[in-house]
């Protein structure tokens, strides 16, 4: 559609994020958007059912206190250190507007969550992409080197594990980064942390410039409900609350609030399903390697893999013909990789069987 | 909390919206936030229950097509003319950022939805409040006069019926306003239109600069679910989609989508409950008048009333002691008014009985 005289200037400059495809066909093996192969805890449906009925006519609690309290208890932080949003994408948007817009450009990896540059466009935040490492060894290639972030900046943000690489930065590295960068906010986007990483939440009390974001969409299996949060110093959280309360007073609906509380309180289910995903990931990575793929060491619920003899776009198209969807990014440096979500064991087997045929 | 060196400049300037209180006490007669006294259609709970379970692990459709289609069918517009958001507050926020930020200030009534100046603060949109009429007659006081909007502007926005007055502008007046204001967007915020007003949606096809917003929180009784929408020319909707897709790809969760579809399709229930609210409003207004109140003629699900001999703040405090909450605004020109949501018939009776005692 052509530009329109009624648009604000900013609109013509926007280059919106394109999410992974949400196909409406049945029976697809959907390994493209890093959803959890296991459903949410059964306690979620029970909690939501109990909230149905007359109370839907009433506004939710604008602060969603019961959910903040449940998160605070779960992560052993204070309620004043928790900020909630309608998905971690909304939380991140408020962070870009409220905490990352300064004189200096913000820093993030050149290969990372592709929503970051989109937020920069929306809020007119300058940014400087910092290249991931280049190394012939698959284990050392495409890594975040914290030394590269030792330069003037208006803030630093990266996913840990990084997406779409799946590579994890150690807590020691994050602590070093925080020590050498005390004058701007460091945001650690932990969408995938529960699949084998160590959370930086435990550093929050010691670093007033650290903000950690997490989501209920991955390890809590509630992508359909849209709940994300940030944990950090109360001063940072206050900025986010001010932005949120100037944007949308009630972003979390009643059902999302009670569903998320149920999910975070069912620790056994959470631990069991994360463990199953981790086990499947390791099997999947091994089987891909036995087919000749190079697989980056992943601590997420997906793997990032390339084959020395087969073009990734062709493999992706071939899988699609067999009803299997994976993610392929048409970007320099990673255009020979496939990002494959860890599915149920039999979905992973279908993928491996299809790939075997395609490689023949 | 004190300002913080990590905050973006904009944060220190924000003066966030304060929503009506959501008290957590039981047995209150809650007539302060214009919720519907009747619960949502019973089809809503059924639709949500059917969506529970494994599908919550999957992202929702980022475009919520089934809901756009249901709204388009209901209002007889094209799907390309419908924009959805997480509550009409989110829709309005995107409108301020995407369509109302221009060289000239935007215009809105001096007495209106108090979120408008907050959005202006968040997006740095200049605005000029246009005074409502001053007239000794209660029927002519506090009205929007469209002639006052005949001045250079970057956009015009007002609720119809206006809040907190409840006064309705006729469709003929809105059409005149559109005819004399063709170079900027006119936003008609119809949160309360279904309680006796005539929607401007029917003008959308003829005016490329008209945008109408509505919500599921009032007449559809789903404040707890957070769904709002805008209807307008596809060129305006495209601007909002670009902003939304740069902010949050999936603002509507799976349960909100299916719940809202069910609500908009149950036309009989909708018409019946709106009719009941209208009948109760007229009774309530008559009873307030018989107690000596002046009541603005309302086409919303609330009334705005003042008493010549009794201070509104004192009346509000007195009602509160009896477990009845109404809204009092401590602003010039309206500080002697109470805004009272139309409740169930017996809640309205409790209110009248309490007021009778307080006036004695």
């Amino acid at each position: 559609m052509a530009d329109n005289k009624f648009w604000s200037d900013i609109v013509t400059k926007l280059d919106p994020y394109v999410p992974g495809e949400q196909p409406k066909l049945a029976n697809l093996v959907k390994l493209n958007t890093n959803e959890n192969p296991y459903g949410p805890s059964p306690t979620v449906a029970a909690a939501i059912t109990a909230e149905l009925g007359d109370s839907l006519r009433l506004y939710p609690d604008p602060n969603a206190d019961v959910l903040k309290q449940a998160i605070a208890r779960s992560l052993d932080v204070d309620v004043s250190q928790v900020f909630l949003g309608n998905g971690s994408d909304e939380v991140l948007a408020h962070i870009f507007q409220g905490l990352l817009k300064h004189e200096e450009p913000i820093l993030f990896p050149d290969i990372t969550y592709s929503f970051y540059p989109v937020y920069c466009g929306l809020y007119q935040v300058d940014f400087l992409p910092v290249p991931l490492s280049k190394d012939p060894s698959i284990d050392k290639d495409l890594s975040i080197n914290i030394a590269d972030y030792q330069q003037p900046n208006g803030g630093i943000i990266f996913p840990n594990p990084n997406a779409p690489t799946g590579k994890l930065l150690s807590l020691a590295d994050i602590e070093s980064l925080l020590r050498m960068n005390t004058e701007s906010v460091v945001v650690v986007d932990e969408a995938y942390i529960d699949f084998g990483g160590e959370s930086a939440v435990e550093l929050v009390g010691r670093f007033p410039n650290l903000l950690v974001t997490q989501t209920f969409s991955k390890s809590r299996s509630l992508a359909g409900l849209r709940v994300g949060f940030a944990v950090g110093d109360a001063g940072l959280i206050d900025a986010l609350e001010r932005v949120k309360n100037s944007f949308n007073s009630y972003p979390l609906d009643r059902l999302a609030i009670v569903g998320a509380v149920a999910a975070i309180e069912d620790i056994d289910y959470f631990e069991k399903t994360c463990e199953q995903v981790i086990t499947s990931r390791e099997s999947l990575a091994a089987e891909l390697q036995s087919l000749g793929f190079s697989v980056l060491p992943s601590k997420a619920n997906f793997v990032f893999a390339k084959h020395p003899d087969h073009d990734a776009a062709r493999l992706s198209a071939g899988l699609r013909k067999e009803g299997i969807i994976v993610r392929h990014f048409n970007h320099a440096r990673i255009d020979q990789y496939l990002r494959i979500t860890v599915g149920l064991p039999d979905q992973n087997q279908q993928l491996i069987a299809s790939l075997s045929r395609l490689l023949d």
Side-chain angles (χ1 to χ4, degrees), chain A:
Chain A
M1 186 149 322
D3 291 7
N4 180 304
K5 69 177 172 183
F6 302 117
W7 293 7
S8 303
D9 284 345
I10 185 73
V11 177
T12 56
K13 295 180 199 137
L14 292 179
D15 187 12
Y17 174 72
V18 179
E21 190 187 0
Q22 300 295 346
K24 287 161 191 172
L25 303 169
N27 298 321
L28 280 176
V29 176
K30 189 170 177 300
L31 304 177
N32 68 327
T33 53
N34 300 339
E35 288 139 333
N36 198 313
Y38 302 101
S41 159
T43 61
V44 170
I48 290 172
T49 302
E51 186 74 7
L52 290 175
D54 186 65
S55 78
L56 284 184
R57 75 180 180 85
L58 299 172
Y59 283 99
D61 171 8
N63 293 314
D65 283 336
V66 294
L67 180 54
K68 280 189 187 168
Q69 287 157 6
I71 291 169
R73 273 195 306 274
S74 163
L75 300 183
D76 197 19
V77 295
D78 191 77
V79 172
S80 67
Q81 295 175 307
V82 179
F83 176 78
L84 289 171
N86 175 35
S88 64
D89 283 344
E90 180 176 294
V91 174
L92 289 167
H94 291 328
I95 290 170
F96 274 77
Q97 185 170 27
L99 293 168
L100 296 181
K101 189 173 164 68
H102 299 285
E103 293 277 301
E104 300 285 350
I106 68 166
L107 308 177
F108 51 76
D110 63 337
I111 296 166
T112 194
Y113 187 30
S114 54
F115 223 135
Y116 298 161
V118 175
Y119 295 131
C120 288
L122 185 64
Y123 298 118
Q124 300 174 279
V125 174
D126 284 338
F127 66 97
L128 194 67
V130 179
L132 294 182
S133 65
K134 272 191 191 165
D135 196 291
S137 146
I138 189 86
D139 285 355
K140 293 185 183 160
D141 198 24
L142 298 174
S143 298
I144 292 174
N145 283 329
I146 59 164
D148 299 338
Y149 292 78
Q150 207 161 357
Q151 53 178 306
N153 67 76
I156 295 171
I157 183 167
F158 55 88
N160 195 41
N162 193 16
T165 65
K167 292 188 99 172
L168 183 77
L169 213 55
S170 71
L171 206 53
D173 269 349
I174 290 174
E175 187 164 346
S176 299
L177 178 67
L178 286 160
R179 286 193 193 289
M180 74 193 197
N181 189 85
T182 57
E183 296 307 300
S184 72
V185 174
V186 175
V187 183
V188 185
D189 176 353
E190 295 189 338
Y192 301 103
I193 196 69
D194 296 321
F195 301 108
E198 208 177 351
S199 174
V201 163
E202 67 172 75
L203 303 176
V204 158
R206 284 155 52 209
F207 295 95
N209 62 328
L210 169 62
L211 201 60
V212 179
T213 62
Q214 292 192 7
T215 177
F216 280 76
S217 298
K218 310 296 183 184
S219 56
R220 309 285 174 179
S221 208
L222 287 176
L225 269 199
R226 320 306 310 125
V227 184
F229 60 93
V231 177
D233 185 80
L236 303 185
I237 300 301
D238 187 35
L240 300 178
E241 293 288 354
R242 287 177 182 229
V243 173
K244 173 242 170 195
N245 288 324
S246 300
F247 172 79
N248 189 6
S249 303
Y250 304 95
L252 285 195
D253 69 47
R254 286 179 169 269
L255 306 183
I257 292 170
V258 299
V261 169
I264 206 161
E265 289 183 341
D266 192 349
I267 298 169
D268 288 347
Y269 184 88
F270 164 74
E271 290 181 345
K272 186 183 73 183
T273 47
C274 287
E275 206 47 62
Q276 285 170 318
V277 170
I278 291 169
T279 303
S280 295
R281 178 186 68 215
E282 298 308 315
S283 306
L284 177 61
E287 294 192 80
L288 287 168
Q289 282 164 335
S290 70
L291 292 180
F293 281 90
S294 297
V295 185
L296 288 180
S298 170
K299 292 292 181 188
N301 70 337
F302 55 83
V303 294
F304 205 47
K306 67 176 173 182
H307 198 284
D309 309 322
H310 292 270
D311 180 67
R314 272 196 49 245
L315 287 176
S316 174
L319 286 170
R320 197 184 175 87
K321 278 193 194 145
E322 306 208 3
I324 300 173
I325 310 189
V326 300
R327 190 99 196 247
H328 172 251
F329 298 90
N330 206 1
H331 301 154
R333 288 194 74 188
I334 58 168
D335 64 354
Q336 284 312 309
Y337 281 87
L338 297 176
R339 194 195 66 188
I340 304 168
T341 304
V342 177
L344 293 170
D346 70 315
Q347 295 178 312
N348 301 336
Q349 282 315 311
Q350 275 184 264
L351 171 87
I352 293 295
S354 284
L355 281 174
S356 304
R357 282 193 294 274
L358 290 168
L359 299 183
D360 265 352

